[in-house]
Amino acid sequence: MEIDIMTIIVGGLLAIGLFFFLAGAIGIIRFPDFYSRLHPAGMIDSMGLLLSMSGLALFTLFDGGLCLASVLNSLKIALIVVFVYITSPTATHAIIDAGMRAGLKPWTKKRNPQSK
Amino acid sequence: MEQVILYSGIALALIMALSLYRTLVGPTILDRLIGVNAIGSETTVLLIIIGVLYKKVDMFIDIALAYALLNFIAVLASARYFHKRKGLSDESNDY
């Protein structure tokens, strides 16, 4: 594959986005409690999505020339990112609301001494 | 350039298997909701990667947009459904 400037930029963006996806997925597994697991889940929704989507938007913009169709496609990808940025906090809030009302108490060092 | 995108799509699929673990094991129902939410947002990116690979980006972008919408609605609906359940607290203190 020819290494031109676009490959480097899009490949770099995708790599960093994948790093955030990986970090979020590992965080979701390792964190001790439901409430603390929401933080890496939020990280996946925000940073991972933003970086990989912007990489893909750049790729669709410059792949096969800069015509109106590719501009519209990358604008739609940006629209997806904006939409997820608006709805992800709302979904997280709804989950936490359901958890608090169902009586799920947050994990604390005092309340869970035996776990590390 | 397609190889870079293909390999990142494969890596993304493996990462989705990681967050599947929380969906299967999660002590409470809401933990499973987190896993499903994470898989949903990863599928949105995977859909666009597939679109790029099959040279049909405009079709797959609409599918990814619809998928992001559905993922949000699903999380809201299930959070609202588990609103009244009182059995969550004793399930979660078993670790």
Side-chain angles (χ1 to χ4, degrees), chain A residues 53-54 56-62 66-81, chain B residues 57 61:
Chain A
M53 286 295 209
S54 54
L56 289 169
L58 270 178
F59 178 73
T60 49
L61 195 62
F62 294 114
L66 193 70
C67 60
L68 179 63
S70 61
V71 169
L72 284 181
N73 281 341
S74 55
L75 270 180
K76 250 192 256 185
I77 291 182
L79 176 72
I80 293 180
V81 175
Chain B
V57 191
I61 285 178

Side-chain angles (χ1 to χ4, degrees), chain A residues 73-111:
Chain A
N73 281 341
S74 55
L75 270 180
K76 250 192 256 185
I77 291 182
L79 176 72
I80 293 180
V81 175
V82 167
F83 174 77
V84 170
Y85 262 60
I86 294 172
T87 54
S88 171
T90 320
T92 310
H93 171 74
I95 295 181
I96 288 184
D97 193 29
M100 291 302 276
R101 283 173 191 276
L104 201 61
K105 277 178 278 308
W107 181 89
T108 54
K109 195 71 92 175
K110 285 194 300 301
R111 193 175 292 137

Side-chain angles (χ1 to χ4, degrees), chain B residues 1 14 22 25 29-30 36 45 63 65 69 71 73 79 93:
Chain B
M1 191 56 212
L14 294 178
R22 181 53 59 197
V25 167
I29 299 170
L30 295 174
V36 168
V45 180
I63 297 176
L65 187 62
L69 285 163
N71 183 28
I73 301 292
N93 292 338

Side-chain angles (χ1 to χ4, degrees), chain A residues 29 37 45 76 101 103 114, chain B residues 22 31 41 62 83 89 95:
Chain A
I29 291 174
R37 276 181 207 126
D45 276 350
K76 250 192 256 185
R101 283 173 191 276
Q114 87 282 358
Chain B
R22 181 53 59 197
D31 291 316
S41 62
D62 300 340
H83 219 276
S89 55
Y95 42 69

Side-chain angles (χ1 to χ4, degrees), chain B residues 5 11 21 23 27 35 78 89-90:
Chain B
I5 293 184
Y21 167 80
T23 312
S78 40
S89 55
D90 46 15

Side-chain angles (χ1 to χ4, degrees), chain A residues 1 3 6 9 11 13 18-19 47 59 65-66 68 70-71 73 104 106:
Chain A
M1 60 185 176
I3 307 289
M6 197 197 37
I9 293 178
L13 278 174
L18 278 177
F19 165 71
M47 252 339 241
F59 178 73
L66 193 70
L68 179 63
S70 61
V71 169
N73 281 341
L104 201 61

